[in-house]
Amino acid sequence: MRSEITIAFVCLAMVFASGRSLAQAPSKPAAVASLPLEEVLRLYRQADRPSHIHAPVAPVSATVDRMELKARLLDAALDIRGTFQVSILNDGAWVRVPLIQLGPGSHLAEVPRLKRGVLLVEEGSLWLLTREQGHYDFDLAWVEDAKVTGETRQAQLKLAPATVARLSVQHDAGLFTLKPGFVSVGAEGAVYYPKAGRLAVGWARSAAAAERSEQAVVAERPQLEPVVRQADISVVATLQGRRIVRAKYELSFAGNQEILCDLPDGLVLRRVHLNGLPVAFEVQEGRVTLQVAPRRAGDETARLELLLDGQGEGFLLSGRKRFVLPSLSWGINQVRVSLHMPRVFNYRWTGGSLAPTSKIAEVQYAHQIPTPGKSLGFRQQLVQGAPDLHLDYTVDLAGHYFDGLNPRPQSIKSVTSTQAATAEPVEGAQVSVRAETQAAVRTSGWEGE
């Protein structure tokens, strides 16, 4: 018994000793392999890629569901408008679907712009090209010439296979007689169905149609009435009373024309530009006659620019200013006026043919000058005569306070046109008038903060 116990202890000691030796034994190094970076990235992408169950591919990539055509008989052609419905069954791959075959007598008139595909003409046919699955609805318009034999006409349409296709033809029974081939005649016209992808329409002219055709003459194009499509005018008014007016007129006419311009009182015409080039002019009794020509041969537009200036009365503490603009012998569809006034006043529109507008267009003129001060916008449509406007102005007292306890009366002299003509240069006159305006403010009891 004692020997058996001894043998058991010896076995246990051997097991513990072997476990300790295994724990102390060094571990084997892990296996290492070198791969290119592209291969490692591919493996990562392949591991992260979710497993998709692809839908089965349709045996047919596309179908033409409907062709609804409506036509009207002309003397020797069919005027056709069609509504097409196409279904694309597969997604991702480019699909080219045939619609109609175009012959030498086929003339496309209207082709829509599609958001998910394009319509193109190739190999003598009109195709729909796309790669997105879904339904496509669009309209087409084209003219199909007819084969003429005496008084008989014959037109053929070649269509792609479609689930539903039909043609409705409307005609004037007093001018044309339909040949057999239609299925029925109703309120919508004669109805035709394709046979082997072809629609054949035959008709004959009546005696009335033939007589009308012989008497038909080509109408001459009516003379284009000269008009000013758009007029843009910029007016700069200074404190000493000077006004600078720049006017740009977009003309529409045919051939060479003559245009008359009446100048407002107090303004002198300085320069005239036609299509960007200076031209000579002569003013007689406040009117100038100008010969205008299009920009280039065959064109029907031109651009006329005028530069005027003049000297008037200066500004008081308050008052009213009237602005009269040049008058043209042609009608003006629309005139836009930008008025640039001294900043020291507040302005209020009180009348005139021009009405205020919040939008002032940025216009480039041939004569470039600065446009300081407050900008006011005005506009008028269908102008005949001289556009005008009235402005009331008062001195801008923003930033001042009233000191009624200590009024300092001083006499303020307004700047007259005679004084302005004999005064110092423009810069000096502006400083003088500004000083007198400030003196007037102090006299009234208002003081600057």
Side-chain angles (χ1 to χ4, degrees):
M1 180 70 182
R2 182 177 299 174
S3 61
E4 293 177 353
I5 294 174
T6 302
I7 293 171
F9 275 109
V10 172
C11 291
L12 289 173
M14 293 175 64
V15 169
F16 283 118
S18 62
R20 185 169 58 252
S21 62
L22 290 173
Q24 294 175 354
S27 60
K28 294 182 179 181
V32 178
S34 297
L35 291 175
L37 179 60
E38 292 80 2
E39 185 67 17
V40 173
L41 295 177
R42 187 187 66 81
L43 293 174
Y44 268 107
R45 288 194 296 266
Q46 185 175 358
D48 293 340
R49 185 180 301 145
S51 59
H52 292 285
I53 300 177
H54 296 282
V57 178
V60 179
S61 59
T63 63
V64 180
D65 302 328
R66 177 178 292 273
M67 291 185 185
E68 191 73 31
L69 308 180
K70 295 182 179 180
R72 175 172 290 276
L73 289 184
L74 304 179
D75 183 50
L78 281 177
D79 186 8
I80 308 169
R81 290 187 172 272
T83 300
F84 293 77
Q85 296 177 358
V86 180
S87 296
I88 305 300
L89 306 180
N90 295 323
D91 197 11
W94 286 103
V95 179
R96 194 173 66 162
V97 185
L99 300 175
I100 58 175
Q101 185 174 350
L102 303 175
S106 303
H107 313 283
L108 291 173
E110 295 180 15
V111 178
R113 182 185 295 272
L114 305 180
K115 294 183 179 179
R116 298 178 297 163
V118 294
L119 295 171
L120 72 156
V121 177
E122 190 177 9
E123 299 176 358
S125 297
L126 181 66
W127 305 76
L128 168 64
L129 179 65
T130 184
R131 61 183 302 178
E132 293 190 28
Q133 186 179 19
H135 299 284
Y136 294 76
D137 298 341
F138 52 89
D139 296 335
L140 293 174
W142 76 98
V143 175
E144 194 72 32
D145 293 340
K147 182 181 179 181
V148 179
T149 305
E151 300 300 327
T152 304
R153 283 90 170 97
Q154 182 77 23
Q156 285 194 357
L157 306 179
K158 300 177 182 179
L159 309 177
T163 305
V164 176
R166 70 171 187 168
L167 169 67
S168 301
V169 177
Q170 296 181 347
H171 71 287
D172 188 344
L175 300 177
F176 306 107
T177 302
L178 288 174
K179 297 292 184 179
F182 52 87
V183 176
S184 61
V185 178
E188 60 182 2
V191 179
Y192 295 78
Y193 289 97
K195 296 180 180 179
R198 294 174 180 268
L199 283 168
V201 180
W203 70 97
R205 293 195 310 173
S206 64
E211 183 179 356
R212 179 180 298 182
S213 177
E214 292 176 358
Q215 295 177 353
V217 294
V218 179
E220 294 184 1
R221 182 182 178 184
Q223 183 70 20
L224 181 64
E225 180 181 359
V227 69
V228 180
R229 294 185 291 108
Q230 177 69 48
D232 290 288
I233 301 177
S234 171
V235 181
V236 178
T238 64
L239 276 171
Q240 66 272 22
R242 185 185 179 191
R243 294 184 185 180
I244 304 174
V245 179
R246 295 174 297 170
K248 176 188 287 188
Y249 303 99
E250 297 294 338
L251 310 179
S252 177
F253 58 97
N256 296 337
Q257 295 285 343
E258 184 179 84
I259 185 170
L260 306 180
C261 177
D262 290 326
L263 308 179
D265 293 337
L267 291 180
V268 179
L269 182 61
R270 301 298 185 185
R271 298 180 186 175
V272 176
H273 285 80
L274 179 62
N275 299 325
L277 299 176
V279 297
F281 60 91
E282 182 180 356
V283 180
Q284 295 181 353
E285 298 181 356
R287 169 174 291 189
V288 59
T289 302
L290 300 172
Q291 300 293 330
V292 294
R295 290 183 171 91
R296 48 190 169 271
D299 199 356
E300 295 179 344
T301 60
R303 183 177 69 252
L304 178 66
E305 294 191 55
L306 308 178
L307 173 64
L308 308 93
D309 70 351
Q311 185 66 43
E313 294 183 354
F315 285 78
L316 304 175
L317 288 178
S318 64
R320 171 173 295 183
K321 291 291 184 182
R322 180 170 183 253
F323 295 87
V324 181
L325 303 177
S327 172
L328 300 182
S329 57
W330 298 3
I332 303 176
N333 290 343
Q334 178 177 250
V335 59
R336 299 179 299 193
V337 177
S338 59
L339 201 59
H340 305 277
M341 305 293 291
R343 194 176 298 276
V344 295
F345 298 99
N346 291 323
Y347 304 94
R348 183 171 62 91
W349 175 77
T350 56
S353 62
L354 291 160
T357 179
S358 58
K359 297 181 180 180
I360 303 178
E362 292 290 338
V363 180
Q364 295 294 328
Y365 295 93
H367 183 69
Q368 296 293 327
I369 60 171
T371 54
K374 294 182 179 179
S375 297
L376 309 174
F378 302 88
R379 64 177 297 191
Q380 182 182 350
Q381 293 180 326
L382 301 179
V383 182
Q384 294 288 344
D388 68 326
L389 63 96
H390 303 268
L391 285 182
D392 284 356
Y393 68 92
T394 56
V395 67
D396 189 356
L397 298 176
H400 296 77
Y401 67 92
F402 185 72
D403 185 11
L405 300 178
N406 251 336
R408 282 166 273 184
Q410 297 181 13
S411 59
I412 304 301
K413 297 180 180 180
S414 62
V415 179
T416 63
S417 59
T418 305
Q419 292 171 333
T422 59
E424 60 273 9
V426 173
E427 292 77 3
Q430 290 179 344
V431 173
S432 174
V433 174
R434 188 179 300 112
E436 292 182 358
T437 303
Q438 293 173 355
V441 172
R442 290 195 300 271
T443 303
S444 63
W446 290 89
E447 289 290 341
E449 294 178 353

